[in-house]
Structure formats: structure tokens, C-alpha cells
Amino acid sequence: MTPMLKHLVMKIKSTGPITVAEYMREVLTNPVKGYYIQHDMLGESGDFITSPEISQIFGELIGIWFVSEWIANGKPNKFQLVELGPGRGSLTSDIIRVFNQLNSLLHKCDISVHLVEISPKLSEIQASVLTEGKIKLQESCLAYMQGLTKTGLPIFWYRDLNDVPGGFNFYLAHEFFDTLPIHKFQKTEKGWRELLVDIDPEAPDKLRFVLAPSATPAAEAFIHDKESRDHVEVSPDAGVTVQKLAHNTEKNGGAALIIDYGHDGTKTDTFRGFRGHKLHDVLISPGMADLTADVDFSYLRRMAQGVAALGPIKQQDFLRNMGIDIRLQVLLQNAKDANNRKQLLRSYEMLMDLDKMGGRFNFFAMLPSNRFGSSDQGRKPSASASVAGFGELVWK
């Protein structure tokens, strides 16, 4: 019995069955025993590998996307790069390297980096990757850590998105929304019932799923009348986060780019665990495995009021539109040996193959409604309004 399992059993004994959302929140982010607090879960020795860990090209193209949007917005004299859940810092590192390489274009722009990270272990890794040295701040400060990147940009760490200063922000959330807690609902003859986590009466050291005996407030709040599926997953935390990003983007300009595996309101039961790069039962050894659920992009779009929403489009399409094939050829020409070239081609295949990350991951963007002139708010802009990645990359 893991320490987290002991904690959950005591909690359920005292309060009764808990929602899947509460279960996920405890297992992943409990400040003492949570998976993200205690583990470095990324890379070959962790529980999963992300696109930035596979190839530098991924982050470089996202960096170019932000520069393209900066140009499209009239080259403002200041912007903040804000990443939610930055992992080991690989993606931010690749992006700010692009900013540095395009210094002739960006040299008059005041750029700072802001990372939202709750894991002490990961923030230390990020600091070692991104900075030459860091400064810890007093608890009274909103940022708990700050420093300078290796390219000289101010960088700050926060535990909460609400603590990040508003302004012309470029938000980035790569494999962030899939970790936010979900409520699960099942359609029954008596109406919608919420799935809960309870102690197994036949095995007191194990957990099981049960259906709530009656409709819960969450079921009444989140299941809409036109729902045709028999099983639905909803993440209120994802809705609140998207609303915050949308509000600042519409008010102050900038953009938000969300990259994750997910669907457009079609899938049902996607809640699963990963441990050692393999699927893992979500109720076994809680706190020792990552928990995740596919992102419902149709829900994010409904929550993104006031802004123009683009996507989701497949990762393969976005990266191809951003010029990944051209960048690959340049890297292949500069490769020093055959092994290096083989690694580049393997990485490209992993990022682009529709049966791998190319088809599993989606890109979704939120931009200010005035970015498209007369385009209706909250709707997809017309095809003539070219946005890098979602159409051909156009430098202006």
C-alpha cells in the first residue's frame, strides 16, 4: 500500500466516495505525496516522453510561430512567454534559442519568460537547463524563483497561473490540459450519474469505481441537453484555465497555443495511467504513475468566449505548415555522421507519423478577435486570414 493509497483510504472512510476529479487532484498534486511533486516523470527513465524531448525541431517551429504572431500583431515593444507545466524546460529552451537567433528582428523587444510549475523537483531541473544561476525569492513574492536565462532574458517561476502578470502574453500549454482533473459521467436508465472512487468492500487495500446513487451537482452543471454520448469526461479546471487565457488574450493581445492529445467532443472513456512508458491501471499504486485523459477541444472552444479559436488540427499538419521538412533537410545537410542523420530521421518520423505523435496530438490556438478584422468573435476565422501553422507560414 503506497503512502498515497493510505491517504486516500482514510479520506474515503471519513467523507465517503470521492469524485474522479478529487482523486486525480490528490494523486497528482497533493503537496506532500503527489506524483508531480515527488517524481521526475519525463524522459527515457521516466513514465513518458514528450515531443520536445524527441527533437529540437519541435520547439524551434513553435518559437517561429510566436515570432510570426508577434509580427502579425505589429511588433509590440514587449511580450511575455508564459508556459504552463514546462516539464524539464526543453521546449522553453528551444524557443528562447530561436528568439536569440532572431535577435536582429527582436532586439528592440523587451522579452521575459514566465513558467507555471508546482513541482519543486521539476523547477530545479528547469532552472539548471535554462539559467546560469537562479535567485530564490521571499514567500511574500508572487514568483517563488527568478533568474536570467542563458541568453540573458529575465525568467520567473510561479505556482499558480493567477500570479503571472497580465499583458501582451504568448501562452504555451504542451501536454498540460490532459493532466487537469476530470469528472466522469455515465448515462443510465435513471439519468446521468457521476462515477466515483470508493474502497473495494472485498479488498480494503484496493479501490474501485462506483456510480453515484443520484445526480450530483457536477452532473447537472456540466452535461448539456444535446449530449449524445453515453459516457462523458469534463474538466472544469480546463474550462477555467482557458477562460483566463482567453480573457487576457482578448484584453491585452498576444496568443495562446495549446498542444495535446484529444478529440473534438467525440470520445468517451479516455482516463488512463502511465508508468514506465506502459499503460497502468489508474486505481493501482496511486501516486506512482501518471494519470491523464484526452482533452475535449470542443469544450475548450465553448469556454473560449470573446476570442478567435483555431483548430484543433493534427500535429502533422501544423508542423508541415510551419516548414518542418525544410528544417529537417538543413539539419541533415549539417549532420556530422550517419548515426546523427538516422536519429534525425527517427525523430522526424515520431513527430510526424499519423500512427505516432503526428496523428495523436492536436494544436489549438486562441487569438484576439481583432486579429481578423470583421471575423465573428469566438468562431474560426476565414481561410483568407492566414495564421502560421494553421495555414501556410507567411512572413510580413
Side-chain angles (χ1 to χ4, degrees), residues 77-142:
N77 58 14
K78 178 181 180 180
F79 73 76
Q80 299 181 148
L81 174 66
V82 183
E83 185 173 5
L84 283 61
R88 299 175 67 90
S90 303
L91 184 52
T92 297
S93 177
D94 291 336
I95 291 170
I96 60 180
R97 186 175 63 253
V98 168
F99 292 169
N100 191 54
Q101 290 169 343
L102 296 176
N103 186 55
S104 60
L105 186 64
L106 294 164
H107 69 281
K108 292 183 179 179
C109 186
D110 179 10
I111 303 172
S112 56
V113 180
H114 304 259
L115 306 180
V116 181
E117 180 58 72
I118 62 168
S119 168
K121 187 181 289 286
L122 284 179
S123 64
E124 290 291 330
I125 294 172
Q126 293 153 15
S128 68
V129 169
L130 298 169
T131 71
E132 299 291 357
K134 62 184 184 302
I135 304 169
K136 288 199 173 182
L137 300 185
Q138 300 297 321
E139 286 298 318
S140 58
C141 297
L142 292 177

Side-chain angles (χ1 to χ4, degrees), residues 20-21 24 28 36 48 175-184 209 229 231-236 238 258-263 267-274 279-280 282 290-297 299-300 360-362:
V20 174
M24 283 186 74
L28 297 179
Y36 290 143
F48 55 90
E175 290 199 59
F176 172 79
F177 279 85
D178 65 272
T179 67
L180 297 180
I182 59 164
H183 290 267
K184 290 175 71 69
F209 288 117
R229 291 169 289 174
H231 192 104
V232 176
E233 298 168 336
V234 180
S235 174
I258 297 170
I259 309 157
D260 230 313
Y261 43 83
H263 57 94
K267 290 188 178 180
T268 54
D269 181 15
T270 70
F271 185 39
R272 58 201 182 278
F274 284 98
L279 282 170
H280 179 83
V282 293
D290 186 35
L291 301 180
T292 180
D294 282 14
V295 176
D296 183 346
F297 287 102
Y299 174 67
L300 298 192
R360 293 173 188 166
F361 282 81
N362 296 276

Side-chain angles (χ1 to χ4, degrees), residues 25 27 33 76 86 181 204 255 290 299 320 396:
R25 189 173 287 109
V27 169
K33 307 177 183 71
D290 186 35
Y299 174 67
R320 184 155 284 149
K396 296 181 180 178

Side-chain angles (χ1 to χ4, degrees), residues 349-370:
E349 181 188 7
M350 180 66 75
L351 291 177
M352 295 292 285
D353 194 314
L354 288 176
D355 292 328
K356 298 176 182 176
M357 290 177 166
R360 293 173 188 166
F361 282 81
N362 296 276
F363 280 66
F364 177 85
M366 294 185 292
L367 305 171
S369 57
N370 61 14

Side-chain angles (χ1 to χ4, degrees), residues 35 40-48 275-277:
Y35 173 77
D40 170 16
M41 68 295 297
L42 298 168
E44 291 185 7
S45 61
D47 294 318
F48 55 90
R275 187 176 183 183
H277 303 279

